[in-house]
Amino acid sequence: MLKRMSYSSFPEDVLEHVFSFVQSDKDRNAISLVCKSWFEIERWCRRRIFVGNCYAVSPRMVIRRFPDVRSVELKGKPHFADFNLVPEGWGGHVYPWIYAMATGYPCLEEIRLKRMVVTDETLELIAKSFKNFKVLVLSSCEGFSTHGLAAIAANCRNLRELDLRESEVEDLSGNWLSHFPDTCTSLVALNIACLGSEVSFSALERMVGRSPNLRTLRLNRAVPLDKLANLLRRAPQLVELGTGAYSSDLRPEVLSNLAGAFSGCKELKGMSGFWDVVPAYLPAIYPVCSGLTSLNLSYASVQSPDLIKLVSQCLNLQRLWILDYIEDSGLEALAASCKDLQELRVFPSEPFGVEPNVSLTEQGLVCVSEGCPKLESVLYFCRRFSNDALVTIARNRPNMIRFRLCIIEPQTPDYLTHQPLDTGFGAIVEHCKDLRRLSLSGLLTDRVFEYIGTYAKKLEMLSVAFAGETDLGLHHVLSGCESLRKLEIRDCPFGDKALLANAAKLETMRSLWMSSCSVSLEACKLLGQKMPRLNVEVIDERGPLDSMPESFPVEKLYIYRSVAGPRFDMPGFVWNMDEDSALRLS
Amino acid sequence: MMEAHKPDREMSASGSVSTVSREDNLVVSSEDSSSPDDSELELGLELSLGGGGFKQQATSGGHYARILTAKDFPSVVSSSSSLSSSSSSLSKTNHVTAGTKRSADSVAAAANATSQVVGWPPIRNSRINCTVVNQAKSIANEEYNSVIEKNKRKNTVLEKITNSCNNGGNAKGRTSLFVKVNMDGIPIGRKVDLNAHSCYETLAQTLEDMFHRPTTTVNAFRSSLQEHDIRVEATRPSKLLDGTSDFVLTYEDKEGDWMLVGDVPWGMFLISVKRLRIMRTSEANGLAPRLQESSWRQRNKPV
C-alpha cells in the first residue's frame, strides 16, 4: 500500500523555520489557508501585522489569532482626511488598540500608525508597557503633545526609531528631547520635521553625538542653518538628512563651514527640509549631490535657474519632490540629467491663485516621461493639460504604476481641443497595464470610467473629483476594476443605482468614500441593512438624520468592510446604517 | 440650460423643499459677506427662522433650510459675478444632477475669482499653512510699512492693515488657515478655517454653531437615553460670546500667551493666532481687558 505523504508529519519547527522566510502578508495569508495545522503554526509565528483600516477588525480578534506579534501597523482615517474633508472627532483613536496590546503583546517592538488620533495617555501607555520597544512611526497623526514624546524618550531604553512625519503635535516644550537618558545610544532614525517650535538644541547635539548608528535625521524648521554644520560633523554617517530652515545672513564662513561639513557626509543619499532657502547657500550641498537618490525640495521657494543648477548635479536621483518653480525648463533639464528618476512630485507654489504664477505646463511632464525611462510614479499639479500629452505620456511610460494628475481648476477641459480628457486618461489605463494608483482631474464624462473599468485591471486605488455624468460612471469602475481596494469620490453625480447594484463588490474592497455626491439616505440604509459585513457610515453635520427626508442625499458616506461590526466611538455626526441603527432612526 | 444662481432647481425632487430657503440664503450671503465660505460656515438664516436647538425644528424642510454648509454653495460669494461668465463653463456639460451642478458653480466661480471649494486642490495643511503664513506676513509687512510712512493716524493704520490682510488674501486666492478650537467641557475639539472669515463676528457665530451641536464623547454604546442627553446638552451653551455668557473666546498666540479674542485688528490676529479656546468666564481672569463694545453683542438673537 502506498504511504501518502502527510504534511502533518513534517515537524512543526521545520515548517516554522520555512515560514520565517515568508514575510509578505499576502503569502502568509495564503500559507494559513493550506490546512488546519499550517494555519496553527503560521499564526503562532507571525510577527508582523498590517491592518489597513483600524475598524475592520478588533484588537481582541487580532491578538487572539496572532499571539506573538512584534510589529503592528495601523491606519485610521480615510485618505481625504488629509484635505479636511473628514470632520474633527470622526474617530481613528488608537488607544483601544494600545490598551489591548499592552497585555496581549508585552514583547511588542514596533508601532506604525497613519492618520490616527494618538493621545499623550496613549504614548505614556506605550512607554511603560513594552519593555523592548524600538520603533514608533506616527504618520499624519494628531492628538498628542510634546509631553507624550517626553514619556517615550524617558522610558524606551532601546528606542531605535522615532518618526513623527507630518503629524500635528501640540508644542508645549522643546525640552522633551532632554528626556532621552545619556545611556540611550541606540537611535537610528529621528524625524521631528513637523514640530513647530524649537527643541533644545544642546540636547539634540548630545543625542546626535552619542548615537553612532544614527542614519536618518530630519530636523524641524526652527533649527537654524548655522547650527547644521556642527550636527553634521557629529554624524558624518548620516544617510538621510532633513535640514531646518535653510537661510542665514550671508556670511562666507557659514557657507564654507557648511560645505566642509557636507563633504564629510559620504553616505548621504537623501535630503529634505529646505525651508526658507537662501539660494546662495545651495552650493554647500554640491559635494553630496552626485550621491543623492532622494531629494525633497517641496518647501524650497527657489526659482528655476537655481533649481536647475542643483538638480543637474544629482545624476543618480531616483526621487524628486519639488515646487512648480522648477517650470517646464527645469523639468527639461531634469529629463536630460537624471536618467534614473523613478518618482516625480511637483507641488503648486500658489495653489489658490487664479492666474498661473509660473511657466509649468503639461510639457514639463511630457519631457520627463520621454527622458526618464524608469519613471513610474507621478504626482503633478498644474493648470492645463491635453489629451495629446496624456497619450504621449502613456505611450512613453507603459511602466507607470502611480499616476496622479491634479489640474487645479475643477473640470478644466483639454486646453487645445476643449474636449473632456477622457481619451487621455483612457490611454493611461490602456497602456500602463500595471497601474496601481490613479487620480483623475479635469473635465471628464462617463467615458473615462468606461475606459478605467475596461483596462485598469491592476488598479488598487482610484481618486475622483468633479467628474462623470451618471451612475454609469461609478458602475463601470465597480464592475470592471478587479483589483480595486480603495475608491474615493467627491463632488460627482453618482447616486444610488450603481452603489446598490454593486453592493457585493464593496466587500472585496477596503473602503469607499463618497462626499458631495447624490447617494440618498434611503440607499445608505438599504445597503447597511443588506450587507452585514459592511459598515455603512453616514457623516452628516447638518443635523439628526431622523428629520431628514429619505430621498435626501447624504453629505458624506464612508463604507468599509469589517468583521468587527459597528464601531462604538462614532461622534454625533456619524451614523451607522445597520439594522439596529435603522430602527432607531425611523 | 441650468442657471448658475439657482443651483437647486436641478436637484432631485427631495431637495425641492429646501430649495426656496436655500436661494434666500444664497442671496443674503452674497450681499452680506465678502468673505469666502468654508466647510464650517453656516449660511444660517436660523436666526430669522426661529431656530435654536434641533428639537425646535418641526418641519423637515425648515430644518434643512437652516442647516446649510458651504459645501452646498461652493461659489456662494462670487455667484453674482459669475453669472456673466457662466455660459462658457456651462456649455461644457449638460448634466443636471446636484453633484455636477455644484462643481459647475465652482468652475464658474473660479473663472472669475477664487476657488471656494473645501479640500481642493488636494494639498495637506502643512503645505498650505506654509504658503499662507509667508503670504500673510509679507502682505502685512508691506502694507504696514507703507502706510506708517504715509499716515500717522492710528485708526486709519489699523483699518488699512486689516483690509490689506483680507484683500491681499483674496487677491492671491483664498488659502486656508485651519486652527484647532477646543471648548471647556467638550472633549472633542474642532477645527476652523480662519481665512473663511474677515471679521470676528462671523468667526464667533461659526464657533457658536459648531459647538452648539451635539457630539458624543468616546462612549461605549448609543442608547436612546444617551441621545436624549445629547439633545439636552445641545441647548446649554447658547449665548456663547455674548458679554454675559458663561464662556469667552480666547486664543493662544505665537508666544504662548492666552489672549481675549477681539482686542487686536483682524489681520494681526490672523498672523499671531495658534489656536482657539472657548474658555469658561470663571477661568478667564487675568487675560487682556476686553473691549466694552464687543461686536458680537450687537447680533440679534431669536426669541
Side-chain angles (χ1 to χ4, degrees), chain B:
Chain B
M1 191 64 123
M2 47 190 189
E3 297 164 299
H5 66 293
K6 288 180 167 58
D8 309 292
R9 289 284 159 78
E10 316 299 325
M11 261 184 73
S12 54
S14 59
S16 61
V17 174
S18 52
T19 296
V20 172
S21 7
R22 278 183 166 201
E23 281 197 12
D24 292 343
N25 291 348
L26 189 57
V27 169
V28 169
S29 63
S30 57
E31 282 168 3
D32 280 358
S33 165
S34 61
S35 68
D37 43 53
D38 78 331
S39 62
E40 307 283 16
L41 179 65
E42 277 205 21
L43 306 170
L45 281 193
E46 100 211 52
L47 308 180
S48 58
L49 290 174
F54 296 122
K55 61 189 169 101
Q56 292 172 21
Q57 301 295 341
T59 65
S60 55
H63 176 71
Y64 274 87
R66 174 207 159 219
I67 300 172
L68 298 159
T69 61
K71 281 182 294 298
D72 300 322
F73 302 106
S75 62
V76 155
V77 171
S78 44
S79 61
S80 48
S81 55
S82 74
L83 285 180
S84 52
S85 69
S86 59
S87 50
S88 55
S89 54
L90 293 174
S91 60
K92 290 170 199 159
T93 60
N94 59 358
H95 27 238
V96 293
T97 52
T100 24
K101 189 58 218 118
R102 217 175 282 116
S103 43
D105 278 348
S106 68
V107 172
N112 265 329
T114 64
S115 179
Q116 309 289 338
V117 183
V118 171
W120 190 268
I123 306 172
R124 289 155 170 262
N125 284 343
S126 51
R127 289 193 192 282
I128 293 175
N129 284 349
C130 217
T131 56
V132 164
V133 168
N134 290 339
Q135 283 174 11
K137 270 187 183 155
S138 60
I139 291 165
N141 286 340
E142 285 164 23
E143 289 290 344
Y144 186 79
N145 289 336
S146 65
V147 167
I148 276 290
E149 283 158 19
K150 288 175 194 165
N151 196 327
K152 300 296 180 188
R153 281 174 58 213
K154 184 168 182 262
N155 289 343
T156 315
V157 165
L158 293 181
E159 194 185 285
K160 283 191 176 174
I161 290 170
T162 310
N163 289 339
S164 72
C165 278
N166 298 336
N167 296 334
N170 288 339
K172 285 213 185 275
R174 185 182 90 76
T175 53
S176 298
L177 182 55
F178 280 95
V179 296
K180 286 199 164 167
V181 192
N182 282 86
M183 178 163 172
D184 286 355
I186 294 182
I188 296 179
R190 305 300 297 273
K191 267 191 183 157
V192 66
D193 181 1
L194 293 181
N195 273 354
H197 304 272
S198 55
C199 62
Y200 291 114
E201 267 133 344
T202 56
L203 174 63
Q205 189 168 353
T206 297
L207 289 176
E208 174 165 344
D209 293 333
M210 203 186 286
F211 285 92
H212 203 92
R213 286 200 220 101
T215 55
T216 58
T217 55
V218 179
N219 263 326
F221 300 104
R222 304 188 49 150
S223 61
S224 54
L225 180 64
Q226 191 182 14
E227 281 171 346
H228 175 71
D229 287 342
I230 291 168
R231 282 208 198 90
V232 169
E233 230 170 82
T235 59
R236 256 206 286 118
S238 55
K239 297 190 177 189
L240 182 64
L241 296 157
D242 198 289
T244 61
S245 158
D246 292 332
F247 292 87
V248 290
L249 183 59
T250 64
Y251 71 100
E252 185 183 11
D253 70 6
K254 292 252 148 63
E255 271 92 56
D257 299 319
W258 285 93
M259 321 280 283
L260 276 174
V261 165
D263 291 340
V264 300
W266 179 255
M268 282 188 173
F269 167 68
L270 280 187
I271 291 172
S272 50
V273 62
K274 249 171 60 176
R275 59 185 167 141
L276 299 170
R277 178 175 158 201
I278 301 172
M279 198 185 283
R280 285 187 223 279
T281 314
S282 48
E283 286 187 39
N285 296 324
L287 294 182
R290 58 155 20 128
L291 299 166
Q292 278 309 306
E293 299 304 312
S294 46
S295 44
W296 45 78
R297 294 185 74 172
Q298 293 162 12
R299 208 160 43 82
N300 289 327
K301 294 293 286 180
V303 174

